[in-house]
Amino acid sequence: MDYKEKNISKRKIDIANQFLSVLDKHLTELKTGQVEKSLELNEIAELLFIVPNHMSDTVSEVFGKSPCEIYENKLVEISKEMLENSTKPINEIARTLDYDPSNFTKFFKHFTSITPSHYRKSKTGNITI
């Protein structure tokens, strides 16, 4: 992406990249069990020493997606990876990612059009609920 064509300042690009860095680090810690609770977007903004609205506007301008969309997309990808590469029960995966199991199923189905168990079965031929 050519940020100069979009006339986006270096500072905005830095903020957006810092957001991704904090988010990726946090999601890795969540996935590996180093933390048990998901960060909220306002907490990420706090870590970046900026107000949430500024972070949201900046990330949206730089990446063309809201921070929430980016967060959700990354959670879906991690969920898919864990469903494919782990034999953990789905409810345990949900709890690892700080979801109630029934909400995790709704969340996953909203983004993929299939339930986590059907996704796992389609990828591994193995179903664990």
Side-chain angles (χ1 to χ4, degrees), residues 4-64:
K4 289 182 181 181
E5 283 180 23
K6 292 176 80 177
N7 201 25
I8 299 174
S9 72
K10 182 179 178 339
R11 175 67 182 137
K12 287 182 178 182
I13 294 166
D14 288 345
I15 289 170
N17 286 330
Q18 287 172 356
F19 165 78
L20 284 182
S21 178
V22 168
L23 181 61
D24 287 340
K25 179 181 183 288
H26 170 67
L27 290 174
T28 297
E29 291 171 345
L30 190 65
K31 182 174 82 172
T32 59
Q34 295 172 336
V35 295
E36 294 180 3
K37 181 139 177 48
S38 292
L39 283 177
E40 294 186 14
L41 291 175
N42 63 332
E43 293 171 311
I44 294 174
E46 210 174 283
L47 291 170
L48 299 178
F49 303 102
I50 59 177
V51 295
N53 285 345
H54 181 56
M55 181 188 76
S56 182
D57 293 344
T58 301
V59 169
S60 295
E61 182 180 347
V62 172
F63 296 125

